[in-house]
């Protein structure tokens, strides 16, 4: 939904603060757009790095990879990253396909991937197709040495409760994990309060995936407004380019200054869990 809004925002010269947009501003190059995104402004060279770093630690380092992505902007950029980094590491791509978002039956697709005997499988998908892909993989008993990558859905409590042990050994993208290096000031208190309210609001029970970054997004806006002292679009944009923001996901700053050579700006935290993480749970709840 970010891309359709960009022309309207640009026409009005507004400061635009968004979250988890996959390089939307690369084409628009609008220097008043700021996106809360853990991969910074170079998704191609960063997104799949954690997944392939883990793959390199397998008993037998991977020599081949299969790539499957839904036909949307985010997934295509994720697949591009996997493709680029696989080539950089000398990993042969044996399967590389996209599928329409309306796809519901992935059994033929998983059979085709299995036939190529890949060492690792990188999937970039959204929740409905993530569910169908994982169920098809389980039903066909397809068990490559490593499977996962950029699947959206497994980060959510409801998804984990529904699929349970099917998620065992999945190695997948995540952005926050309640472990020591990510215990930034305020994040534990935020998650405790969030989880008190989540059942009543029918929100994700865990809240690890997007909520901390959404709250940090509002902290950026709050701090910038406090410094500027008024709603001045140009002044707010200048402040967001120049400042470092202390948030519950760490120190956040603009990836590029206002006079940088590229204008596709991301707000990046200094430390994140933007690496693949193993899911091995059956029915998690708030921890």
């Amino acid at each position: 939904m970010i891309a359709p809004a960009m022309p309207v925002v640009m026409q009005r010269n507004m400061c635009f603060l968004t979250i988890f947009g996959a390089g939307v501003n690369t084409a628009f190059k609008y220097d008043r757009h700021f996106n809360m995104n853990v991969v910074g402004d170079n998704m191609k060279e960063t997104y799949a790095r954690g997944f392939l770093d883990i793959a390199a630690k397998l008993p037998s380092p991977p020599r081949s990879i299969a790539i499957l992505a839904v036909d949307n902007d985010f997934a295509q950029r994720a697949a591009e990253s996997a493709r680029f980094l696989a080539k950089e590491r000398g990993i042969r791509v044996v399967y590389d396909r996209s599928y329409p978002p309306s796809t519901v039956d992935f059994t033929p697709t998983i059979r085709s991937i299995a036939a190529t005997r890949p060492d690792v499988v990188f999937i970039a998908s959204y929740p409905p197709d993530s569910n169908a892909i994982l169920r098809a993989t389980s039903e066909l008993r397809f068990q490559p040495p490593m499977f996962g990558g950029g699947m959206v859905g497994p980060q959510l409590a409801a998804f984990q409760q529904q699929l349970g042990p099917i998620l065992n050994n999945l190695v997948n993208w995540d952005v926050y994990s309640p472990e020591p290096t990510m215990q930034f000031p305020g994040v534990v208190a935020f998650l405790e309060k969030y989880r008190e309210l989540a059942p009543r609001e029918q929100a994700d029970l865990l809240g690890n995936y997007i909520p901390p970054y959404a709250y940090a997004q509002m902290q950026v806006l709050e701090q910038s407004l406090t410094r500027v002292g008024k709603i001045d679009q140009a002044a707010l944009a200048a402040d967001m380019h120049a400042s470092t923001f202390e948030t519950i996901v760490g120190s956040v700053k603009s990836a590029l200054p206002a006079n940088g050579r590229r204008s596709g700006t991301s707000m990046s935290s200094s430390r994140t869990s933007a690496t693949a993480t193993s899911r091995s749970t059956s029915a998690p709840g708030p921890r």
Side-chain angles (χ1 to χ4, degrees):
M1 295 295 101
I2 298 172
M6 287 292 286
V8 178
V9 171
M10 293 170 68
Q11 186 180 41
R12 289 163 174 74
N13 292 316
M14 298 184 73
C15 184
F16 194 31
L17 183 58
T18 61
I19 186 168
F20 285 13
V24 171
N25 205 21
T26 301
F28 293 100
K29 302 189 184 303
Y30 180 53
D31 67 359
R32 294 185 184 180
H33 173 244
F34 302 87
N35 182 258
M36 295 290 293
N37 196 331
V38 298
V39 298
D41 67 339
N42 192 352
M43 189 171 174
K44 178 178 176 180
E45 296 183 14
T46 58
Y47 187 85
R49 188 172 298 280
F51 181 80
L52 291 176
D53 282 350
I54 292 175
K57 297 178 181 180
L58 289 169
S60 298
R63 293 183 294 176
S64 62
I65 184 172
I67 301 171
L68 177 67
V70 62
D71 190 11
N72 67 27
D73 187 68
F74 152 73
Q76 292 303 309
R77 290 178 185 275
E80 179 187 34
S81 177
R83 204 176 294 121
F84 172 80
L85 292 169
K87 182 178 179 180
E88 182 179 83
R89 298 167 188 232
I91 301 173
R92 184 166 55 97
V93 178
V94 294
Y95 183 98
D96 190 354
R97 297 285 188 276
S98 298
Y99 61 88
S102 58
T103 305
V104 293
D105 181 8
F106 286 90
T107 299
T109 302
I110 298 302
R111 283 203 179 104
S112 296
I113 293 174
T116 68
R117 302 177 63 86
D119 294 323
V120 295
V121 179
F122 182 93
I123 309 286
S125 54
Y126 268 18
D129 25 312
S130 295
N131 187 312
I133 288 167
L134 288 166
R135 290 188 184 279
T137 301
S138 175
E139 290 166 4
L140 293 173
R141 299 186 180 181
F142 176 45
Q143 296 178 325
M146 201 164 117
F147 185 100
M151 305 181 80
V152 178
Q155 303 86 353
L156 307 177
F159 200 102
Q160 295 172 25
Q161 290 170 332
Q162 290 170 12
L163 293 188
I166 290 176
L167 296 176
N168 287 348
N169 301 317
L170 176 68
V171 180
N172 195 49
W173 161 264
D174 212 333
V175 293
Y176 177 81
S177 179
E179 50 86 30
T181 65
M182 298 200 74
Q183 298 300 303
F184 303 112
V187 70
V188 173
F190 166 79
L191 286 171
E192 288 175 352
K193 183 65 174 177
Y194 171 91
R195 289 168 184 167
E196 287 178 12
L197 300 173
R200 187 182 73 198
E201 300 297 329
Q202 298 184 335
D204 175 48
L205 295 179
L206 286 175
N208 288 339
Y209 185 50
I210 290 184
Y213 291 89
Y215 189 85
Q217 178 187 22
M218 294 299 99
Q219 288 182 299
V220 168
L221 181 59
E222 176 194 32
Q223 292 170 33
S224 190
L225 276 170
T226 299
R227 275 191 292 270
V228 172
K230 58 182 177 179
I231 299 178
D232 181 319
Q233 306 296 334
L236 287 169
D239 181 77
M240 289 183 190
H241 276 296
S243 303
T244 297
F245 300 83
E246 298 304 322
T247 77
I248 63 169
V249 296
S251 296
V252 174
K253 61 182 178 180
S254 172
L256 290 170
N259 60 353
R261 294 194 310 175
R262 300 191 308 272
S263 302
T265 306
S266 291
M267 306 292 289
S268 299
S269 59
S270 57
R271 292 178 293 166
T272 73
S273 62
T275 55
T277 55
S278 177
R279 293 285 182 188
S280 183
T281 60
S282 55
R287 292 192 293 270

